[in-house]
Amino acid sequence: MSEYYWDSKIEYLRNTRWLYYNDDYLEFLVKNVWKMNTPINMVDYGCGYGYLGLKLLPLLPDGSTYTGIDKGEDLIKEAREIFDKLPYSVELMQGDIEEIQVHPQYDIALCHAFLLHMKNPRAILQKMIDSVRDGGRVCFEPHWIANAANFGFDDGLLHSEVVRLGVLQKLYEVDASRSGKDGNIGIKLPILLSQLGLRNVECRVSDKVNFLDRHMDAASKERLYPSLREEGIGQEPDEPSMTMEQLVERGLTAEEAQAQYAAELKLFQEFDSDSWLTYAPNMKISFGTVSRE
């Protein structure tokens, strides 16, 4: 069995990626914003099972290619099984972007919810730039505090009772300063891209909003509710003393940790398939132009 963490999370990835984007918005980006009218050769770093390829290839001009690179053996195997059944030009490689050598051979370098897991995302971005011919790049990355701010519950559950934004900001910022892994990197990517020399940098926000409606049809609810749970919304917290100890180790005071645990427990206890919930992931999509002239 693979020891790589994300090899064990294929079902999680499969069950949650769809929460982030509307297909018509991705089509709008490709055709109206990026104006991709000629075949594109794209590379996807940390590709997982090839989610971005599956979404973008049908929207791109015929002749476009997709190269996916991931550290996970099982993820690449899963991707190959999927793409072998599809009529696209695809190359899938197992590799670690921190170690592989790159050359400017692609038109677009992509990543999705990948940089937030990197200890040195700036260096990874530079590698992405180095793999692109003069042109551009697209990064789909989360901004956790915006994500946490964009929940709506029915009147029986107040947002401030279950999502403590100030405490979460502190946790994210301490985690980033300690490990280099920044869950809020999505909102910082335009700055980083500009600092690394890209021009005409822009950032878009996914328009996807998920609505769990008590009155929705059973099939839609049976798909949405488990995916929201798997995304972490209302998950059961671990044993209290262990959870609070971990929170203190991450930078909270004992009082903050106790209150945070109580908030997580309350959401777990009150959120169920008959709840009303609106949730906007607010994925940030940043891109710019590489120019070596």
Side-chain angles (χ1 to χ4, degrees), residues 164 166-172 174-175 178 243-261 264:
R164 307 181 71 242
V167 166
L168 292 176
Q169 281 178 300
K170 181 177 179 179
L171 281 173
Y172 301 154
V174 170
D175 285 345
R178 182 175 56 189
T243 299
M244 287 186 276
E245 180 180 348
Q246 291 172 343
L247 290 170
V248 169
E249 288 176 355
R250 291 175 61 192
L252 297 189
T253 66
E255 293 76 15
E256 288 172 332
Q258 186 172 14
Q260 178 62 24
Y261 178 82
E264 293 178 12

Side-chain angles (χ1 to χ4, degrees), residues 67-136:
T67 299
I69 304 173
D70 200 282
K71 191 174 180 179
E73 293 182 28
D74 294 343
L75 285 163
I76 290 297
K77 179 181 178 182
E78 178 76 10
R80 285 178 177 144
E81 290 177 356
I82 293 171
F83 282 103
D84 280 349
K85 302 179 179 69
L86 300 174
Y88 302 115
S89 178
V90 172
E91 181 179 9
L92 297 162
M93 299 184 290
Q94 184 195 359
D96 187 339
I97 188 175
E98 294 182 283
E99 299 176 0
I100 64 173
Q101 297 297 313
V102 299
H103 306 281
Q105 56 185 309
Y106 301 102
D107 300 305
I108 297 290
L110 304 164
C111 67
H112 181 270
F114 172 67
L115 294 174
L116 79 162
H117 298 295
M118 297 291 103
K119 294 180 180 179
N120 192 346
R122 188 184 184 97
I124 300 302
L125 272 174
Q126 185 62 63
K127 273 203 161 184
M128 293 175 69
I129 291 169
D130 292 343
S131 69
V132 174
R133 304 183 187 104
D134 283 9

Side-chain angles (χ1 to χ4, degrees), residues 14-213:
R14 197 196 314 275
N15 293 338
T16 57
R17 302 302 91 172
W18 71 280
L19 297 172
Y20 302 151
Y21 309 102
N22 287 315
D23 289 345
D24 55 1
Y25 187 67
L26 291 177
E27 183 176 11
F28 169 75
L29 285 172
V30 168
K31 296 183 178 179
N32 296 86
V33 178
W34 301 329
K35 296 180 171 61
M36 293 179 175
N37 301 316
T38 58
I40 296 295
N41 299 316
M42 56 182 169
V43 59
D44 181 5
Y45 293 105
C47 67
Y49 66 88
Y51 171 81
L52 281 183
L54 292 170
K55 285 295 180 183
L56 296 178
L57 280 170
L59 304 174
L60 291 170
D62 290 344
S64 294
T65 70
Y66 174 76
T67 299
I69 304 173
D70 200 282
K71 191 174 180 179
E73 293 182 28
D74 294 343
L75 285 163
I76 290 297
K77 179 181 178 182
E78 178 76 10
R80 285 178 177 144
E81 290 177 356
I82 293 171
F83 282 103
D84 280 349
K85 302 179 179 69
L86 300 174
Y88 302 115
S89 178
V90 172
E91 181 179 9
L92 297 162
M93 299 184 290
Q94 184 195 359
D96 187 339
I97 188 175
E98 294 182 283
E99 299 176 0
I100 64 173
Q101 297 297 313
V102 299
H103 306 281
Q105 56 185 309
Y106 301 102
D107 300 305
I108 297 290
L110 304 164
C111 67
H112 181 270
F114 172 67
L115 294 174
L116 79 162
H117 298 295
M118 297 291 103
K119 294 180 180 179
N120 192 346
R122 188 184 184 97
I124 300 302
L125 272 174
Q126 185 62 63
K127 273 203 161 184
M128 293 175 69
I129 291 169
D130 292 343
S131 69
V132 174
R133 304 183 187 104
D134 283 9
R137 122 163 355 52
V138 184
C139 299
F140 297 72
E141 290 289 334
H143 174 207
W144 276 351
I145 201 63
N147 179 305
N150 278 277
F151 290 102
F153 304 96
D154 70 286
D155 292 340
L157 189 61
L158 298 178
H159 184 260
S160 60
E161 292 179 332
V162 294
V163 183
R164 307 181 71 242
L165 292 175
V167 166
L168 292 176
Q169 281 178 300
K170 181 177 179 179
L171 281 173
Y172 301 154
E173 290 166 0
V174 170
D175 285 345
S177 65
R178 182 175 56 189
S179 70
K181 299 179 181 180
D182 189 353
N184 287 318
I185 195 168
I187 200 66
K188 301 172 185 176
L189 273 174
I191 298 169
L192 290 175
L193 292 176
S194 180
Q195 290 175 344
L196 290 171
L198 270 71
R199 296 295 176 257
N200 306 313
V201 175
E202 297 183 43
C203 183
R204 296 290 178 121
V205 180
S206 171
D207 69 343
K208 179 74 171 185
V209 180
N210 302 281
F211 178 40
L212 181 65
D213 185 356

